[in-house]
Amino acid sequence: MKFDCFGRLALRAGVVLAGLCVTAVATAQTVQTVPGMPPVTNPSNMYSNAGYNMFSPVVKGDLPRIYVPNLRSNDVYVIDPSTFTVVDKFPVGRSPQHVVPSWDLKTLWVTNNAEGRNDGSLTPIDPKTGKPGKADPVDDPYNMYFTPDGKEAIVVAEAFARLDFRDPHTMALKSRLQAPECKGINHADFSIDGKYAIFTCEFGGKLVKIDMVNRKVLGYLQLSKRGMPQDIRVSPDGKVFYVADMMADGVYLIDGDSFKQIGFLKTGIGTHGMYPSRDATKLYVANRGSNKVHGPPHGPGSVSVIDFATRKVVANWPIPGGGSPDMGNVTADGKWLWLSGRFDDVVYAFDTATGKVKIIKVGMEPHGLAVWPQPGRFSLGHTGIMR
């Protein structure tokens, strides 16, 4: 394509078109990503390749399903989003926490971290059949991410303040990185160029910045109100990381490059999970309705909507009768936000146009559900950080 651009176009239209071509190429290369990471095609919106129904050919034929890991019943419930009904369920390992799409979009991994024990595992799900495969024994897989080049899985060993880098297919251990000051390391997001990641430290009220190229800790940031940071999501332009904190009842704004706190937004009680809208203009924030790790059912749970452009809360959607929205994702068409109801043993489907909610009964203590298939070229992990 570069040869065609500088050669054939220049011959046909002369210097003017050649100059325009050079400008286009330069714009496309504005963000210098780490080697092996797909290019950022729109520097103002890193989610531009995960917009409305922008499916990769890899997911063709995958079943439209909602996969719900239930922490205390040790199983996964499967929901058909077109009928809002449970169509399957199957047992997995002990304490399933999240359902994580692989970098290559070919597998969904259930992270069974076996809380308090040493028999953790990862259960693969084939998204074309919706059926599980044989589990791989893995030490404390609370959550899982992938390096931006897709060459390694990053298993978050929460109990050990450690990141385990593994083969993304066989899950064979390749290396480990300790983050000793990050107690309760769990959720993460990556810079627009893939050069660093920021992880939350739930039990220390901190963040840790990780150099993804040299595999080292760059530093820690103590948040202003000592609390319990949870999910983290970067703005479309890559400049600001939004950090949910369930004790502060809101979202911290962090400048990723300088690694400094630049703001705070009040949202609701027990702020927890965060997901960008399909058009990347809004951020949906799940407020779990309790500041407790194990809260009561029917709390004042809600979803807050943050406008990325103004960095302000523009809407709040309560749950009639109370609830505990936790983690999930947005459908490919952008019309539904699916979230687990952590303390109510249900799943919520919020209509993103109205904020109205449908409720489906599932297993015991649902956690990081996955909506599948998702638009995007690759997944960086969690319940679908798609780019």
Side-chain angles (χ1 to χ4, degrees):
M1 182 62 71
K2 287 183 180 180
F3 177 80
D4 181 69
C5 184
F6 287 98
R8 188 170 60 188
L9 278 178
L11 288 173
R12 287 181 178 178
V15 177
V16 175
L17 272 185
L20 289 175
C21 186
V22 170
T23 301
V25 171
T27 301
Q29 296 177 345
T30 299
V31 177
Q32 298 295 324
T33 60
V34 296
M37 177 180 171
V40 177
T41 57
N42 181 357
S44 66
N45 179 16
M46 70 173 75
Y47 305 120
S48 62
N49 293 105
Y52 297 107
N53 297 313
M54 295 177 67
F55 292 116
S56 163
V58 175
V59 304
K60 184 178 181 180
D62 286 6
L63 295 172
R65 295 290 185 264
I66 312 297
Y67 295 92
V68 187
N70 298 295
L71 181 63
R72 287 191 294 118
S73 51
N74 300 321
D75 54 20
V76 169
Y77 273 49
V78 184
I79 296 172
D80 183 337
S82 67
T83 62
F84 300 93
T85 58
V86 175
V87 294
D88 195 11
K89 66 177 179 178
F90 48 81
V92 290
R94 186 177 179 86
S95 308
Q97 301 282 2
H98 303 91
V99 176
V100 179
S102 63
W103 189 93
D104 62 10
L105 314 181
K106 295 180 179 180
T107 307
L108 304 176
W109 293 96
V110 187
T111 62
N112 314 300
N113 81 320
E115 285 186 328
R117 298 174 23 157
N118 60 0
D119 55 345
S121 64
L122 292 169
T123 301
I125 298 174
D126 181 347
K128 301 212 179 298
T129 65
K131 299 298 182 182
K134 183 180 179 181
D136 293 317
V138 171
D139 192 20
D140 191 35
Y142 175 81
N143 210 340
M144 186 161 69
Y145 296 86
F146 294 89
T147 55
D149 61 7
K151 293 182 178 179
E152 292 177 288
I154 308 170
V155 171
V156 183
E158 182 189 56
F160 304 105
R162 192 183 72 209
L163 301 177
D164 291 348
F165 293 82
R166 296 179 176 271
D167 183 283
H169 307 292
T170 68
M171 293 302 158
L173 183 64
K174 300 179 75 173
S175 65
R176 281 176 167 157
L177 175 64
Q178 295 286 159
E181 293 182 37
C182 190
K183 304 302 181 185
I185 189 169
N186 49 35
H187 300 103
D189 205 351
F190 297 75
S191 60
I192 192 170
D193 55 12
K195 293 178 182 177
Y196 66 84
I198 297 178
F199 282 77
T200 59
C201 313
E202 180 173 356
F203 304 128
K206 296 181 180 180
L207 306 175
V208 61
K209 188 174 181 178
I210 305 292
D211 181 335
M212 294 302 301
V213 177
N214 300 300
R215 303 286 172 84
K216 64 180 182 180
V217 172
L218 293 173
Y220 298 89
L221 176 64
Q222 183 74 58
L223 298 173
S224 61
K225 301 176 183 178
R226 192 174 183 87
M228 296 184 74
Q230 305 292 315
D231 204 5
I232 179 170
R233 192 68 76 240
V234 66
S235 61
D237 61 7
K239 295 180 180 179
V240 178
F241 284 73
Y242 290 73
V243 180
D245 192 298
M246 64 179 282
M247 292 297 182
D249 297 335
V251 176
Y252 293 100
L253 277 61
I254 307 296
D255 182 297
D257 290 348
S258 66
F259 202 37
K260 294 180 179 179
Q261 180 180 327
I262 58 173
F264 178 81
L265 296 174
K266 199 78 171 178
T267 55
I269 298 173
T271 312
H272 207 80
M274 298 188 295
Y275 309 94
S277 60
R278 277 286 151 233
D279 61 4
T281 63
K282 304 291 191 296
L283 183 66
Y284 302 119
V285 182
N287 306 304
R288 208 160 62 172
S290 175
N291 301 121
K292 297 179 179 179
V293 174
H294 301 288
H298 312 302
S302 66
V303 169
S304 296
V305 183
I306 293 174
D307 181 271
F308 275 126
T310 63
R311 299 179 187 173
K312 293 181 178 180
V313 176
V314 294
N316 189 271
W317 304 333
I319 299 173
S324 50
D326 193 293
M327 297 216 155
N329 219 318
V330 181
T331 55
D333 61 9
K335 293 181 179 180
W336 296 94
L337 169 67
W338 286 83
L339 297 170
S340 57
R342 186 72 175 268
F343 308 136
D344 293 87
D345 300 341
V346 298
V347 161
Y348 308 112
F350 287 88
D351 183 325
T352 58
T354 66
K356 293 183 179 179
V357 61
K358 295 179 182 290
I359 301 176
I360 303 100
K361 183 71 175 176
V362 292
M364 298 172 66
E365 200 171 337
H367 194 188
L369 69 78
V371 177
W372 200 254
Q374 287 281 304
R377 300 166 297 170
F378 62 103
S379 162
L380 287 171
H382 193 34
T383 60
I385 299 177
M386 311 299 295
R387 295 192 185 172

